[in-house]
Amino acid sequence: MNSEVLILYSRKGCCLCQTLEEKLSNICLEKLNPSIMLSIVDIDSKKVSLDIQMKYTNQVPVIVLDSTRLLKKVELPRVPPRLKEDMLLSWIQKNLNIFYKTV
């Protein structure tokens, strides 16, 4: 089972969230090194902790890498909204390389 998860904190009715969610859903995250799975989380869901809601409610969309390999969660930089899907995959890989370089 894949232990690396890319969490997208988003909100219903947010056009930036919907666009990023669509782009992330359309790219093959298994091609990344390491491969990662996508988890889309509604920031307003009752399943989301109050700490996470307070931290990200005014910042969505937010992407967080939940890594068992790094033994922590790492917030990725804000995604440029005009980034096309092919470039989004490269952008994610570039950020993964930075995080995993220290492992």
Side-chain angles (χ1 to χ4, degrees), residues 32-97:
L32 296 169
N33 183 21
S35 66
I36 54 178
M37 293 181 357
L38 177 63
S39 174
I40 299 169
V41 177
D42 182 352
I43 195 74
D44 299 319
S45 168
K46 294 183 189 229
K47 296 177 183 178
V48 176
S49 74
L50 188 56
D51 289 343
I52 295 293
Q53 285 181 343
M54 291 177 66
K55 184 173 183 177
Y56 296 131
T57 194
N58 294 322
Q59 297 179 19
V60 292
V62 174
I63 299 177
V64 174
L65 174 65
D66 186 0
S67 173
T68 55
R69 191 167 146 194
L70 295 173
L71 302 174
K72 62 182 177 178
K73 291 183 179 181
V74 182
E75 185 178 330
L76 273 67
R78 193 152 191 76
V79 177
R82 291 192 174 104
L83 208 56
K84 303 285 186 215
E85 289 173 8
D86 59 336
M87 294 305 296
L88 179 58
L89 191 63
S90 297
W91 181 89
I92 294 170
Q93 184 64 67
K94 178 180 144 192
N95 282 281
L96 291 178
N97 292 345

Side-chain angles (χ1 to χ4, degrees), residues 22 34 81:
E22 185 177 307

